Each structure stands twice: as structure tokens, then as C-alpha cells.
Amino acid sequence: MKIVFRVDSSLQIGSGHLMRCLTLAERLKKENGADVYFIMRDLSGNLIDFVKQKNFSIFKLPQVELDETLVGYAKWLTVTQEQDAAETIARIKVIDKPDVLIIDSYAIDMTWENMLRPYVQKIMVIDDLANRKHDCDILLDQNEYCNKDKRYEYLVPQHCRLLLGPQYAILREEFYEARKKMRVRDGKINNILVFFGGSDISNETMKALQAISMLERNDIKVNVIVGKSNPNQKEIEKFCYKNNNMYYFCQVDNIAEFMNEADLAIGAGGITTWERCFLALPSIVISVADNQEKILKYIHKEFSIINYIGKYNSTTVENIKKYLIMHLNNHAFLINMKKACIKFYEGGVKNDLYISIFK
């Protein structure tokens, strides 16, 4: 079976879309013997070389000047959907009618998908915006919403198989292994994990580190993880070097281990929300993108699996410090958050996604 991913990463986009596609690609290659290809555009801050290191075949779309007529998420492609689709078709013809085309981009909708339809057997879309129409056979949205069963009602064809909710979260194998040996947390904080995704443009990492340093608690170990595309790497590394309880890591492959070691995490929304929850790790969460805010507010209120403290542009070092002090002085709160996470994922993760792709 031949599977093609159309996904990008950049300073603007971040790495989350690519990382979940890589996780899916690795499983499809390992467990199902699929031939996997990536089609990615050469954008500023891309992770194309990282994908090559994972031994996947890549077709690179050229870097171009941004089309100034584009607005919103359309800017992610830097070109019109029609141009991107035409360039993608040229690469797909080399592969000779792939079995499945998997798309993970907020900039792509049925305009692009209609152009690709004659060149592939099946189209799958990974989305969480529910703000545009798709021509697809499978749609995956691994987030939790109060009306998740209705959001795509008029946005996909009737035959489309919908895989909705965190029970379909694309988790790497390391998380399943880590879940088997989860630590028993007692509400005390001896280890804090700070991770805000691959790029962290607004530098929430530094805010969190400054807040932690203000506690003057050198007895608490702080593991700090940044992605390769983080533009503030050197600043963060220097700050950690000056604080002997802070340990800096860049682009790790074993983040589940770090999560298992931690008593509390400080981070963003996105896939790491479900990774932390899957490992019953209490977390202070800041939204770093508009599409994260609604989800985080909902799961904070309805399930108590995170402590959502606000959006990046309204959250200060003092805010984070305040919540840290609250958690340090309230063991029961963290224990209850841990229990809520365990209950949320007590049914595990479904495998319908993989069945649907190969059906």
C-alpha cells in the first residue's frame, strides 16, 4: 500500500501537524508495511531534514514569495490552493496512484481535494477547525468539543467516515509503553516539565521559566524541552544554564519518559494535551493559537483534566507564578486532576483509524 502525506511545518505553522503525521506514518510503515511518502513545501523553519532522518521519502515543493492576496490560514501554503494542488499532482504522478492521500493543513479544503481526487484511491483529512468543506473519505478530529458529533455535519460527503474525539488521538508507541508503568503521583511537586511545542513563537517557555525561578525552589527539578524550530533556543538554554535545577533539551524522542517523571507540566494545547492526559500528568495550560482556546476552556470546565489559565497574549509571568504557588500548596487539587485524566482515558485509544485507512 502506498500512502502520501501532504503536510507542512514552519515557524508560522509550528511542528504539531507534522509530528502527528510522522507518528501515523511510522505506525503504518511498521505495522502494515506501507510505503510512505511526504510532500512538503520548503518553508522558513521547516523540518524536512528531520523527516529525512526518519527514513521517509520526501517530495519537496519549492520555496516561493508569499502571494499577498492570501489571507488567514491560506497564507500557510504561500501559494493558492490551485497552484499547490498542481505541484502536488506532479509529484503524486511519480508515485503512480497512491492508495491513500492524508492531508493535514488548515489551508486546504475541497478546492484542493477535488483537484487531487482523480489521482488517488482515498482521501483522508486531519482537521479540528470544522470551518470549511472537504472532499474526503475519512476525517479525523482528535479533539474534544461539546458538539463534536455535529460539527462536520454539512462539511463532508455523506459517505465520509468521521473519527472524532481524543479516543482517536495519534499517540506514539512510547506513550503506550509509558502508560503501562505510570508513576503513582501523590500531589507533591518535585519535578516540573516545561514544553510548549516545536516553535513557541511567543516564547511562553521563557515566561514559565521566569515564573518558576521566582519561587526560589531549587529542590524542584525542571526539565525544559524545545523544538528544533524554536527561535529562542539559545536564550532558553542560557537561562537554564544559570539555574542549576533547570535542564535543557532540544527535539527529544522520548518525551513520554519526561512526562512520566514529572509531577506537573506547563505547556500549550494541541496533541500534547492528550499525551499529558493519557499519562495522567496534571498540567497548567496556556493556549498559543486561536483554535486551541475553545477546546481548552471546554475540557477545563467539563472534565477538569487541565488547569487552563488563559491565552498567550494575556498570560504573564506573575499569572503563572500565582498558579504554581496554588499547586504547590494544594496537593489534593493535583491528585484530583490526575484522577480525572485516568477516568477520561479509562477506555484507552481506539484503533478504528488504522482499520479505516486499510479498509
Side-chain angles (χ1 to χ4, degrees):
M1 175 171 272
K2 291 176 286 189
I3 297 178
V4 177
F5 286 85
R6 176 67 188 95
V7 61
D8 288 319
S9 61
S10 70
L11 290 176
Q12 180 186 21
I13 297 168
S15 63
H17 296 266
L18 174 62
M19 290 306 176
R20 63 188 178 190
C21 286
L22 274 173
T23 298
L24 181 54
E26 286 171 343
R27 178 161 179 178
L28 293 171
K29 182 178 179 179
K30 179 181 177 182
E31 297 187 12
N32 303 96
D35 293 323
V36 180
Y37 306 84
F38 279 81
I39 298 178
M40 301 175 65
R41 190 169 292 281
D42 185 7
L43 303 173
S44 177
N46 70 72
L47 292 173
I48 290 175
D49 287 341
F50 181 72
V51 178
K52 288 179 180 176
Q53 290 169 14
K54 297 288 184 180
N55 295 316
F56 287 110
S57 299
I58 289 187
F59 291 89
K60 188 163 65 173
L61 303 183
Q63 187 176 59
V64 295
E65 290 293 323
L66 173 66
D67 184 332
E68 297 296 339
T69 65
L70 302 174
V71 296
Y73 287 120
K75 291 181 179 179
W76 281 18
L77 293 181
T78 67
V79 298
T80 63
Q81 287 196 71
E82 290 82 358
Q83 181 177 335
D84 192 277
E87 292 175 0
T88 300
I89 289 169
R91 275 71 178 177
I92 278 186
K93 283 181 176 179
V94 177
I95 301 169
D96 186 25
K97 197 129 186 177
D99 297 276
V100 187
L101 169 62
I102 300 176
I103 305 156
D104 193 341
S105 174
Y106 294 158
I108 289 175
D109 60 25
M110 67 183 300
T111 300
W112 190 100
E113 294 150 4
N114 283 340
M115 290 179 65
L116 270 291
R117 177 57 79 178
Y119 301 93
V120 297
Q121 302 285 348
K122 188 187 295 186
I123 294 175
M124 172 180 166
V125 168
I126 302 175
D127 190 30
D128 47 51
L129 296 182
N131 67 346
R132 60 208 189 280
K133 288 188 175 182
H134 291 289
D135 174 16
C136 59
D137 305 288
I138 307 166
L139 185 138
L140 168 68
D141 184 338
Q142 56 191 352
N143 291 292
E144 186 63 53
Y145 299 90
C146 60
N147 63 335
K148 67 175 184 283
D149 295 330
K150 300 290 185 181
R151 295 176 77 232
Y152 294 94
E153 198 167 20
Y154 302 107
L155 300 179
V156 296
Q158 284 193 338
H159 74 272
C160 178
R161 183 175 176 84
L162 295 173
L163 306 174
L164 308 175
Q167 283 67 37
Y168 294 103
I170 303 171
L171 301 175
R172 296 190 300 279
E173 185 61 32
E174 64 169 307
F175 288 94
Y176 296 100
E177 292 302 316
R179 187 175 165 90
K180 293 175 186 175
K181 46 188 177 184
M182 280 195 301
R183 289 177 53 242
V184 178
R185 297 183 177 93
D186 59 5
K188 296 177 183 177
I189 299 176
N190 298 305
N191 184 307
I192 297 176
L193 173 64
V194 178
F195 175 56
F196 279 91
S199 53
D200 187 19
I201 295 295
S202 59
N203 206 4
E204 301 309 299
T205 301
M206 185 55 71
K207 283 188 198 174
L209 297 184
Q210 289 170 343
I212 293 169
S213 68
M214 290 168 66
L215 300 174
E216 297 183 347
R217 288 288 304 271
N218 289 334
D219 58 311
I220 298 176
K221 181 179 180 181
V222 183
N223 286 321
V224 185
I225 299 175
V226 302
K228 274 186 177 179
S229 56
N230 188 312
N232 305 296
Q233 288 179 41
K234 291 183 179 178
E235 178 192 6
I236 294 166
E237 187 174 14
K238 285 180 181 177
F239 192 90
C240 291
Y241 183 76
K242 291 177 182 177
N243 292 269
N244 58 16
N245 64 324
M246 295 183 178
Y247 300 86
Y248 170 88
F249 302 90
C250 182
Q251 201 68 46
V252 302
D253 286 326
N254 61 332
I255 197 166
E257 289 182 27
F258 286 96
M259 288 185 180
N260 242 354
E261 290 174 8
D263 302 302
L264 176 70
I266 307 176
I271 183 59
T272 51
T273 302
W274 311 119
E275 292 170 349
R276 292 185 300 253
C277 182
F278 192 68
L279 297 182
L281 174 59
S283 56
I284 293 172
V285 184
I286 299 168
S287 60
V288 298
D290 292 340
N291 64 298
Q292 292 180 1
E293 191 171 16
K294 186 177 180 180
I295 301 166
L296 296 174
K297 282 182 177 178
Y298 178 68
I299 63 175
H300 168 93
K301 181 180 178 182
E302 296 297 323
F303 301 101
S304 302
I305 58 176
I306 63 169
N307 191 359
Y308 176 58
I309 67 171
K311 199 172 177 182
Y312 71 95
N313 54 5
S314 61
T315 302
T316 65
V317 173
E318 285 295 333
N319 288 148
I320 300 171
K321 178 189 173 185
K322 179 183 75 173
Y323 282 100
L324 280 168
I325 291 172
M326 183 191 80
H327 289 316
L328 284 165
N329 296 327
N330 193 339
H331 298 170
F333 185 87
L334 291 183
I335 290 172
N336 288 336
M337 201 188 304
K338 175 196 72 174
K339 288 179 179 178
C341 289
I342 291 171
K343 182 179 180 182
F344 189 85
Y345 263 119
E346 62 187 356
V349 175
K350 297 180 181 180
N351 283 316
D352 299 38
L353 167 59
Y354 305 97
I355 295 169
S356 298
I357 291 174
F358 282 89
K359 195 171 181 180

